[in-house]
Amino acid sequence: MHDTSTGSTGSTARPSRRAVLTATAGLTAALTVPATAHAATPGDRRLRALISRMTLEEKVGQLFVMRVYGHSATAPDQADIDANLKEIGVRTAAELIAKYRVGGIIYFTWAHNTRDPHQIADLSNGIQRASLDQPRGLPVLIATDQEHGAVCRVGKPATLFPGAMAIGAGGSRSDARTLGRISGAELRAMGINQDYSPDADVNVNPANPVIGVRSFGADPDAVAELVAAEVRGYQSAGVAATAKHFPGHGDTAVDSHYGFPVITHSRELWEELDAVPFRAAVRAGIDSVMTAHIQFPALDGSGDPATLSQPIVTGILRGELGYDGVVITDSLGMQGVRTKYGDDRVPVLALKAGVDQLLNPPSLDVAWNAVLTAVREGELTEARLDESILRILRLKDRRGLLDDPWADPAGVDGTVGTEAHLARAGRIAERTTTLLVNEAGTLPLDRRRQRRLLVVGADPASPSGTTGPPTGVLAAALTELGFTATALSTGTAPSAAAVDKAVAAARDADAVVVATYNVTASSTQRTLVERLLGTGRPVVAVAVRNPYDVAQLPSVPAFLAAYCWTDVELRAAARVIAGRVRPRGKLPVPVQRPDDPSRVLYPIGYGLTY
């Protein structure tokens, strides 16, 4: 999950099991994904020969996927050199590989790895060169979190698609597969060969602070179909997909970056709800599965996080689900996995549980040496390491890295962010925007009578798929569509002065568009909307994250769910507001009454058009 922005949601109550299953009834479909297992292949003899030539230190390194600062593998900026020395004890990515022989590297925007497509391709090639230049050198799995929507590490000019919940609102397996295929092709062109996507969590808790719109929805069968489709899309493009966060992170009210969530589902409910998308991912031939730093007492009563749980990783994921591909931890720097054990014990316990890749430990030196010591002292066997390394090498071989790990700089411009890809993303976005309220035909707005628009509201931190705050993007898009739109950002917690300023500006407009973001009962965003309604101007609310906002704004005459504040989703919402396209999205989650979650205001599958 890695440093995603979070925020409160419009309700803190969790829907009951009955409410979830009722809301999904009649809206599921049978899975059509074929059974696929990562069984032994004729190429295993070659891979085992590679393993037999490795030193113990090289084997330990193959298990780790590590962050590194800088835009270049050998010549990063001085600030990135300083950060690398402080956190890792090396100066560059090349030095990281030479010292620890890591099998994987993860790219982050904040680590300055993803400035532009050509730079990313050059960095990827520099990393591969540094690894292959080592004795017995192997290609590196280069990974990132390119979920689209709220979590994107590679921004423009790459093609950015709607996020998972928006895709859930569109409900099209074809669109999900297209997203994976195009995004996978662009990532591979830049030398990224493993994507920590799709999110297979079933989000049934409106108060979930870390999953939410990163999930396809609350219907496990619908989520399963879209997960399988994206997996097929990504892997058809040569990129390893990753289903996360096993055994299911969709019903938490705690962010595992900062705490230790507990899932209270029974084993029966886990089978009916959380397990379904992961089973589909396994059947679709998923290359890797990421574990969650959550406690799940019904699956393991020890109190250990799932990442460190042998009953969950080996017993359920490998044994019951029949999965023999790569299992990777979520970031080992997250609090959820560090609460019970020290940083020297976590990687060892993860390997004993059945994990293969150890992602982004806070101190690589501590973690690397802990695994090395565990083998030398007999707590782990070298044969156990060989099992994981074989799975990792199978993945690398399956994705063609052992033969050709290189990005083609000359091919970047013909693949990344092409007009055809951008147009496809825009058309997909148009099928996701969801109209929940439209009293007296408020939408579409009429350019002849309502030419002057005021766009006000939330200004959350921008993911990579944005060119500015939602108010600015919406105003620009509406102006391009023939309106005269003015943007006025009032923030996610507007002050009294900001509200007064917006109300004054609204009196000079013909209509008002309000961007909302995780509205709660006590949020001053509610005050803003109520005061704007008092001006008598038509008000259109656009939820730029969770669709649950509609439950907190019962008086608004028009309400759209955009599911995220990236450009592609906001521009699609603008086209709906302007009447250029009809809204086609259907809610992929139920919206309950905030004061009585047993009462569903808007069920799964609800959505208006005009």
Side-chain angles (χ1 to χ4, degrees), residues 303-539:
D304 285 346
T307 295
L308 310 183
S309 168
Q310 195 273 345
I312 290 175
V313 177
T314 297
I316 296 176
L317 178 57
R318 295 209 188 279
E320 296 181 22
L321 271 63
Y323 178 67
D324 192 39
V326 170
V327 177
I328 182 169
T329 71
D330 206 339
S331 171
L332 297 184
M334 294 165 57
Q335 189 59 37
V337 79
R338 302 172 75 188
T339 299
K340 191 173 178 181
Y341 301 101
D343 292 339
D344 58 334
R345 294 299 299 154
V346 166
V348 175
L349 294 173
L351 291 170
K352 292 177 74 171
V355 161
D356 303 304
Q357 287 186 304
L358 303 164
L359 177 61
N360 201 28
S363 170
L364 179 58
D365 194 65
V366 167
W368 189 90
N369 278 294
V371 174
L372 187 66
T373 299
V375 177
R376 287 175 172 166
E377 294 182 351
E379 184 178 7
L380 288 169
T381 66
E382 196 164 346
R384 168 65 190 89
L385 269 56
D386 291 351
E387 292 175 11
S388 286
I389 295 167
L390 179 59
R391 292 190 187 101
I392 294 167
L393 291 183
R394 282 175 181 166
L395 190 160
K396 292 181 179 183
D397 191 32
R398 195 160 51 247
R399 294 300 145 222
L401 299 184
L402 298 184
D403 298 317
D404 182 13
W406 308 104
D408 178 12
V412 168
D413 291 336
T415 303
V416 180
T418 65
E419 288 186 12
H421 288 178
L422 295 172
R424 198 65 178 269
R427 289 194 295 272
I428 289 174
E430 289 174 353
R431 294 190 276 272
T432 69
T433 307
T434 307
L435 179 62
L436 297 178
V437 179
N438 193 26
E439 294 180 359
T442 300
L443 289 177
L445 296 181
D446 187 336
R447 283 179 297 162
R448 293 167 298 179
R449 297 184 299 103
Q450 298 163 321
R451 178 171 293 274
R452 297 173 301 164
L453 303 183
L454 174 67
V455 182
V456 301
D459 181 17
S462 297
S464 295
T466 64
T467 54
T471 51
V473 174
L474 277 170
L478 289 166
T479 297
E480 291 172 9
L481 293 169
F483 296 90
T484 301
T486 302
L488 176 61
S489 177
T490 51
T492 56
S495 65
V499 171
D500 289 341
K501 185 176 181 179
V503 169
R507 294 194 176 99
D508 293 326
D510 300 317
V512 181
V513 177
V514 187
T516 69
Y517 182 91
N518 295 355
V519 182
T520 64
S522 60
S523 172
T524 53
Q525 292 182 68
R526 292 185 67 185
T527 305
L528 171 67
V529 172
E530 290 165 2
R531 291 281 308 279
L532 290 170
L533 289 170
T535 66
R537 303 296 189 271
V539 174

Side-chain angles (χ1 to χ4, degrees), residues 56-350:
L56 175 58
E57 290 79 4
E58 289 166 350
K59 290 180 178 181
V60 171
Q62 276 295 302
L63 306 174
F64 284 94
V65 180
M66 190 60 184
R67 69 191 180 279
V68 65
Y69 290 85
H71 70 286
S72 164
T74 56
D77 296 338
Q78 186 60 50
D80 292 323
I81 291 173
D82 294 342
N84 285 328
L85 287 169
K86 179 180 179 181
E87 295 185 19
I88 313 172
V90 298
R91 294 165 52 85
T92 66
E95 289 184 12
L96 166 66
I97 291 167
K99 183 174 181 179
Y100 293 104
R101 302 301 291 274
V102 295
I105 284 180
I106 178 172
Y107 286 171
F108 290 110
T109 308
W110 51 259
H112 310 136
N113 304 138
T114 57
R115 290 182 178 177
D116 64 73
H118 284 283
Q119 169 269 317
I120 296 170
D122 289 343
L123 173 60
S124 299
N125 284 340
I127 286 169
Q128 300 294 6
R129 189 174 301 110
S131 187
L132 293 171
D133 282 348
Q134 300 299 317
R136 299 168 300 279
L138 290 169
V140 174
L141 274 170
I142 298 175
T144 198
D145 293 280
Q146 192 78 350
E147 296 179 18
H148 296 276
V151 178
C152 269
R153 309 305 187 200
V154 181
K156 294 179 179 238
T159 303
L160 285 310
F161 285 87
M165 192 171 285
I167 296 297
S172 168
R173 285 175 292 176
S174 176
D175 285 349
R177 188 166 54 248
T178 296
L179 182 159
R181 177 177 55 80
I182 290 176
S183 182
E186 295 195 7
L187 291 173
R188 189 61 187 258
M190 294 178 278
I192 298 170
N193 41 59
Q194 185 176 23
D195 189 12
Y196 299 144
S197 186
D199 190 306
D201 300 311
V202 182
N203 197 82
V204 295
N205 190 340
N208 196 322
V210 69
I211 304 300
V213 294
R214 298 169 63 194
S215 162
F216 289 108
D219 175 346
D221 293 307
V223 171
E225 289 189 340
L226 296 173
V227 165
E230 276 201 15
V231 168
R232 286 205 184 91
Y234 276 112
Q235 296 187 176
S236 71
V239 168
T242 308
K244 61 188 187 186
H245 307 82
F246 190 83
H249 209 313
D251 192 7
T252 64
V254 174
D255 184 345
S256 52
H257 288 90
Y258 312 110
F260 188 20
V262 179
I263 304 290
T264 59
H265 292 184
S266 66
R267 176 63 190 251
E268 178 189 22
L269 182 55
W270 178 79
E271 291 279 2
E272 295 174 354
L273 199 68
D274 307 283
V276 177
F278 290 101
R279 292 186 186 275
V282 172
R283 293 191 186 105
I286 188 79
D287 276 340
S288 50
V289 173
M290 180 179 286
T291 62
H293 304 326
I294 57 174
Q295 185 183 160
F296 210 130
L299 305 184
D300 179 358
S302 70
D304 285 346
T307 295
L308 310 183
S309 168
Q310 195 273 345
I312 290 175
V313 177
T314 297
I316 296 176
L317 178 57
R318 295 209 188 279
E320 296 181 22
L321 271 63
Y323 178 67
D324 192 39
V326 170
V327 177
I328 182 169
T329 71
D330 206 339
S331 171
L332 297 184
M334 294 165 57
Q335 189 59 37
V337 79
R338 302 172 75 188
T339 299
K340 191 173 178 181
Y341 301 101
D343 292 339
D344 58 334
R345 294 299 299 154
V346 166
V348 175
L349 294 173

